[in-house]
Structures are given as C-alpha cells and as structure tokens.
Amino acid sequence: MHNHVKKAVVLGATGGTGTVIIAELLKRGISTVAFGRALPKLEQFAAKLGNPAGLSLKTGDVFKAEDVFMASQGADVIFHCASVPYHEMSSKLLPMGEAVMEAANRLGTRIIAIDGIYPYGRRKDEQPISEDFPKNPHTKKGKVKLEFERMFFSPRWSRTERMIVRLPDYYGAAANEASYLGSTLEAIAAGKPGMFVGNMTVPREYVYLPDAAVMIVELALREEAYGQNWNIPGAGTISGKEIVRLARAASGRSKPVIPVGAFGLSLLGLFVPVMKEIVEMLYLTKEPLRLSGRKYERLVGPIPATSFEDGIRETIQAIQSRQAKAK
C-alpha cells in the first residue's frame, strides 16, 4: 500500500545521500525541507537545484531534538541522512540518533535512517547477503552502528514507524569525503594524481547515488516497508582498476592513481584523523560484501541499475562542470 507523502524533511541535506534524496523527492512533487547547520551551504545547494518552489530550508543542530522537532512540523516522513566523521563515531553517533528519534517520536512521524554495511562484520560464503544475514561486527565502527540499530528500533519510540536502508560504498556527483571513491574521482576529473583506498584488483559493489535515491524514496512511500531493514544494492561489482580506467576515459586525462593501504592511511592519519580510522575497514576492500536486492524486487520491482560506464561518466562530467565554475 502506498502512503501519501506530501511533505518530507531531509536531515544532513547537503551530504552525499541527502542531496540525491531531495532531488528525487522534488521530482515526485513532494514538498521537502532541507535541514542543515549552515544557511549559506543550504542556500548554495538550493541555488544549484534552481531554487525549486517545493524546497524550503531550515537550519538547526541535529544533536538537539527541539531543533529537529521544530523543522519537522507537518512532515509525513523524516530522512535521517546526517552522519558523523569516522573518528567521532563512537562518541557522537548515538547521541545524534537519540535526538532525532525523540523528535520523530514526539511528532509521530515516520523515519528512515540511511546507513551502511558495517554492522554485518565479515562475510561468510553466502553472497550476496539478504537483510537477515547475522550481524556480528568485529570493528569498532560496526559495533557502534549495531548499537544505533538497536536504539533506532527500540520500543521506546512507540509513536513512530521506522526503517533502516543499507547502502554499500557509493559514488556519484553528490558523493563527498564520506565516500571512499569521492576523492579518487575528484582527482581524476581535475587531471591530478589521486589515491585509491584499499585493494584495486578485487571487484566490489558500489551503488550510483541517483539509483539509491529512487530505491529509498520508493520504500518510503510503502507502508509495509516500515519496521525493518532494507538493502539498497548497486549494479554489480567492479574493481578499482576498472573504475580508474572508466574515469580516465570520461575525463580525457590520465594522471597516476596510487592504491593506499594500512601503512599509507596511518601516515595520512597524522594529518587527517579520519584517515587512520579507515584502516579497520580495509577488510571490506579485500573480502567485500555484496547485498541481495531480492526483498526489494519482491516489494517494489526491478532495481534501477545505471551501468558503471554511464554512472562514472556522468559523475566525472558533473565534477568537471563544478570545478570549471569554481575557477
């Protein structure tokens, strides 16, 4: 059954997933509130979209339930896309989640949390994995994310219906530093030497952000999708070498791209704290997890799957156009 969503709020509006979800909601004629900390950043984002009539901007602190509560008045659904940097995850992920859930519960508003695959821990033989694959995280970040899931689905929040959608690594014009591929593609687009996090020869799953937004919004519109986890799979797997080849072909430039492993990330971590936090997640670049989309297909239908060739070309073109405007 479709539920009638007239108004949505997107927390973390200017991040990788927030921007594409807002674009998808507006495309469907759903009035959308973009919520973020800084008004200039929100205004810049709105201008990039052409200041659409259905978009309104609200500033506030996602760690304050009252701010989220005030921004979400009259909304049918909240998309929780706000994230915290890796090196602050242990201390900040749960307090942020608690504040958001308190606001959603007070309003009785449906809520969707956008998350990743870390809580699953190491893969077993069964690939691709379904939503009921056992969660047995062995990393610090995986454990915190599992705690977040337990808090999110806790019976404390009895007035709200919720779901978690899980994405693998993602890419797209809106991908930012939070995406492993973001800085690699930025460098290739600019014709500068770049780095690639982890192993470049093992094929891994990536989802193209506009495809992910279609799937997430489709689920948000279905009453029976709530109360559970959902996989948001990509269009298959691809190796780092192949990504670099496609990106260079799209950009017309071919500066070197160097793979960076644990040692390099630890060194970079002396200057950029988030880098050393990636080290414990490197297992995913050697023994990647793939997500099954069968449950989504049963409820919604075919998975939108832009080919890597098209998705990477569109991403490089969008980045180059942005870089040209910034000059």
Side-chain angles (χ1 to χ4, degrees), residues 59-82:
T59 56
D61 184 346
V62 77
F63 288 87
K64 292 182 178 155
E66 192 58 33
D67 287 9
V68 179
F69 177 80
M70 294 309 292
S72 305
Q73 299 292 316
D76 303 299
V77 62
I78 297 169
F79 292 86
H80 179 21
C81 302

Side-chain angles (χ1 to χ4, degrees), residues 274-293:
V274 78
M275 286 297 179
K276 68 170 180 286
E277 288 292 333
I278 295 173
V279 174
E280 71 164 359
M281 306 319 299
L282 282 178
Y283 76 95
L284 280 169
T285 73
K286 295 177 196 134
E287 20 172 316
L289 273 180
R290 277 192 65 200
L291 298 177
S292 163

